[in-house]
């Protein structure tokens, strides 16, 4: 089984992946770690701020890793914001049967009422070196955009509204 976890920054992708690792013992592929490895090793001239270009650069690599894991009948959790919303087009039915996709989306209500908590929990799994760019406005904008793209592309999404209690069951 392949589990894809996407979402805007600070929605808890890494936290959910960690919970699933502990529960199911599936290994995790962090797209952010892959990104930084490629950037720091000078295998790309892209920077961490080049989000749109990074998705185009990283997705073909991640996609083929997913295919390989599927062919090898390996379980894998892939988490990161660089999974395109039209990801299904890259897989035939034999692959799609083994892939579950979840996009974590915080509602406007949740962001408005819990923004301080969101910022306070930003380092619960990973240590963010600079989080100053992340504002209530960027959180609202990214989550509204992701919800719209999920609906446009018929992607499964998990709404975080009243409280942050995200968990999924693997079929």
């Amino acid at each position: 089984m392949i589990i894809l976890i996407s979402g805007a920054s600070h929605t808890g992708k890494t936290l959910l992946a960690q919970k699933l690792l502990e529960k199911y013992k599936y290994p995790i592929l962090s797209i952010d770690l892959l990104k930084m490895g490629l950037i720091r090793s000078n295998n790309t001239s892209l920077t961490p701020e080049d989000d749109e270009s990074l998705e185009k650069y990283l997705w073909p690599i991640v996609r083929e890793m997913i295919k390989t894991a599927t062919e090898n009948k390996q379980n894998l959790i892939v988490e990161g914001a660089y999974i395109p919303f039209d990801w299904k087009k890259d897989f035939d039915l034999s692959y799609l049967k083994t892939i579950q996709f979840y996009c974590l989306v915080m509602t406007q209500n949740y962001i408005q009422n819990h923004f301080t908590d969101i910022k306070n929990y930003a380092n619960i799994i990973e240590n963010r070196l600079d989080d100053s760019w992340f504002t209530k406005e960027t959180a609202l904008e990214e989550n509204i955009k992701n919800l719209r793209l999920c609906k446009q592309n018929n992607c499964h999404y998990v709404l975080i509204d009243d409280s942050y209690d995200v968990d999924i069951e693997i079929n």
Side-chain angles (χ1 to χ4, degrees):
M1 181 60 57
I2 307 295
I3 309 299
L4 305 179
I5 303 171
S6 189
S9 184
H10 292 71
T11 54
K13 299 176 295 293
T14 307
L15 176 61
L16 178 58
Q18 182 68 34
K19 281 183 179 180
L20 295 174
L21 165 70
E22 292 168 7
K23 185 174 182 178
Y24 295 103
K25 310 296 186 236
Y26 288 11
I28 298 172
L29 168 63
S30 166
I31 301 174
D32 277 345
L33 291 179
L34 176 62
K35 167 187 80 175
M36 292 310 299
L38 290 164
I39 290 171
R40 287 181 167 186
S41 65
N42 295 316
N43 278 290
T44 179
S45 60
L46 297 171
T47 71
E49 290 78 34
D50 295 326
D51 283 337
E52 203 171 301
S53 297
L54 280 164
E55 181 179 298
K56 290 176 182 161
Y57 178 71
L58 293 168
W59 178 243
I61 298 166
V62 172
R63 176 191 68 217
E64 296 309 313
M65 293 172 79
I66 292 167
K67 287 179 181 178
T68 302
T70 301
E71 292 159 359
N72 292 338
K73 299 189 181 343
Q74 293 173 294
N75 298 315
L76 182 64
I77 300 164
V78 178
E79 67 90 11
Y82 301 105
I83 302 170
F85 288 93
D86 63 349
W87 65 272
K88 291 179 196 171
K89 72 174 177 40
D90 293 325
F91 300 95
D92 65 33
L93 188 56
S94 65
Y95 293 105
L96 290 173
K97 289 181 195 178
T98 66
I99 301 172
Q100 293 180 15
F101 174 89
Y102 300 92
C103 183
L104 304 182
V105 178
M106 293 177 172
T107 65
Q108 292 180 30
N109 175 60
Y110 186 81
I111 295 167
Q112 294 289 357
N113 293 326
H114 299 278
F115 187 73
T116 302
D117 294 333
I118 296 167
K119 287 286 278 191
N120 287 339
Y121 284 105
N123 292 317
I124 196 163
I125 298 292
E126 58 192 348
N127 187 22
R128 298 172 188 266
L129 298 177
D130 179 16
D131 208 22
S132 59
W133 63 270
F134 185 73
T135 64
K136 189 182 288 188
E137 291 71 30
T138 59
L140 289 165
E141 183 181 309
E142 285 183 27
N143 280 275
I144 289 168
K145 175 185 169 192
N146 283 359
L147 181 58
R148 179 179 47 79
L149 289 169
C150 280
K151 289 178 178 180
Q152 281 179 357
N153 290 281
N154 197 28
C155 293
H156 184 80
Y157 55 91
V158 177
L159 281 181
I160 302 161
D161 188 29
D162 293 325
S163 64
Y164 193 94
D165 186 27
V166 175
D167 196 11
I168 59 173
E169 293 295 321
I170 296 176
N171 299 333

